[in-house]
Amino acid sequence: SYQMFARGDTVAGFQFESAGMQRLLKDAKPDRFEDLIALVSLYRPGPMELIPSFCARKHGRETIAYPDPRVEPILKETYGIMVYQEQVMQMAQIVGRYSLGGADLLRRAMGKKKPEEMIQHRGIFRAGAAQDGVDEAKADAIFDLMEKFAGYGFNKSHAAAYALVAYQTAYLKAHYPAEFMAATLSSDMDKTEAVVDFLEDSRARQVEVLPP
């Protein structure tokens, strides 16, 4: 599965640099589908800075910490790191006692970074957290953390679809290289630069490509 995104694929509007993605996968050593979903979400401008910590936590080189013990179930799959928009919304529900609809409004406000809305939501979050004995300083610290992640959080269901396609194409490339490269070359046959890259990749894998 480490061969996924072996070329510069564009996913969710971002250009994937193949060597960087391959280095990431080799360091992360994904061994479950959830890891692929998280890596697709993290390999973008902004959250890329969290990749070293994600890999270190996965392999026990860094301690996994949670902002609040109650949120461990929702952050466990990403080793205590908020990666998805859904996690930010669940944090708001669990710690700030938001309704699901209210949590979505909070997510939108955090994404837009409107100061007046953020002041209002901070007060709501503090009040909700206080009902469970969370003091204002701790509530603010958690809110700040959520705000930071919400700015570039990815939608998990969106990332899951990309991760599935990546896994499937990686499998095909590893086990059916000639068929996979033939299909890939055919799909981009009008893009000279891409064809050259695919030809080089094919030859490196000792897949014979006949001339026209």
Side-chain angles (χ1 to χ4, degrees):
S1 62
Y2 302 155
Q3 297 299 327
M4 72 180 62
F5 298 128
R7 67 178 200 258
D9 287 31
T10 300
V11 175
F14 296 99
Q15 184 70 21
F16 280 69
E17 192 270 317
S18 59
M21 190 60 168
Q22 288 176 349
R23 282 195 301 271
L24 161 62
L25 289 161
K26 287 175 182 177
D27 189 25
K29 295 180 175 62
D31 54 12
R32 54 183 185 150
F33 186 59
E34 287 77 8
D35 286 342
L36 299 185
I37 301 173
L39 292 170
V40 166
S41 302
L42 289 170
Y43 197 69
R44 302 182 301 117
M48 286 185 79
E49 66 185 55
L50 301 169
I51 290 173
S53 184
F54 180 90
C55 295
R57 290 184 179 201
K58 175 176 173 58
H59 298 294
R61 301 191 301 266
E62 183 180 307
T63 303
I64 298 174
Y66 299 99
D68 184 292
R70 293 172 293 168
V71 303
E72 180 177 348
I74 65 171
L75 295 182
K76 191 172 184 178
E77 68 173 301
T78 51
Y79 313 107
I81 297 172
M82 274 184 274
V83 176
Y84 311 117
Q85 293 174 353
E86 291 91 337
Q87 289 174 319
V88 172
M89 292 170 62
Q90 288 175 298
M91 291 272 291
Q93 286 182 282
I94 293 170
V95 181
R97 292 210 169 195
Y98 271 69
S99 66
L100 187 58
D104 190 43
L105 291 175
L106 172 62
R107 175 194 61 78
R108 292 184 197 179
M110 285 179 165
K112 293 176 182 176
K113 294 180 170 58
K114 291 185 177 179
E116 63 279 5
E117 288 186 29
M118 295 313 300
I119 292 171
Q120 182 181 2
H121 277 292
R122 187 180 290 273
I124 296 171
F125 188 84
R126 283 173 178 171
Q131 293 181 46
D132 293 310
V134 179
D135 63 47
E136 188 174 294
K138 181 66 182 293
D140 280 346
I142 295 174
F143 189 87
D144 291 341
L145 193 62
M146 290 168 56
E147 187 175 8
K148 174 187 175 184
F149 283 92
Y152 48 60
F154 208 48
N155 182 286
K156 183 181 180 182
S157 58
H158 196 65
Y162 285 118
L164 179 60
V165 173
Y167 184 79
Q168 290 170 332
T169 53
Y171 179 89
L172 292 172
K173 186 172 184 179
H175 296 281
Y176 300 94
E179 292 85 352
F180 178 82
M181 294 311 300
T184 305
L185 279 160
S186 298
S187 69
D188 283 336
M189 62 193 302
D190 58 335
K191 301 172 185 173
T192 305
E193 188 176 328
V195 168
V196 171
D197 287 340
F198 298 147
L199 284 172
E200 291 177 353
D201 195 6
S202 299
R203 288 165 181 152
R205 296 170 184 280
Q206 299 181 324
V207 175
E208 183 182 6
V209 182
L210 300 177

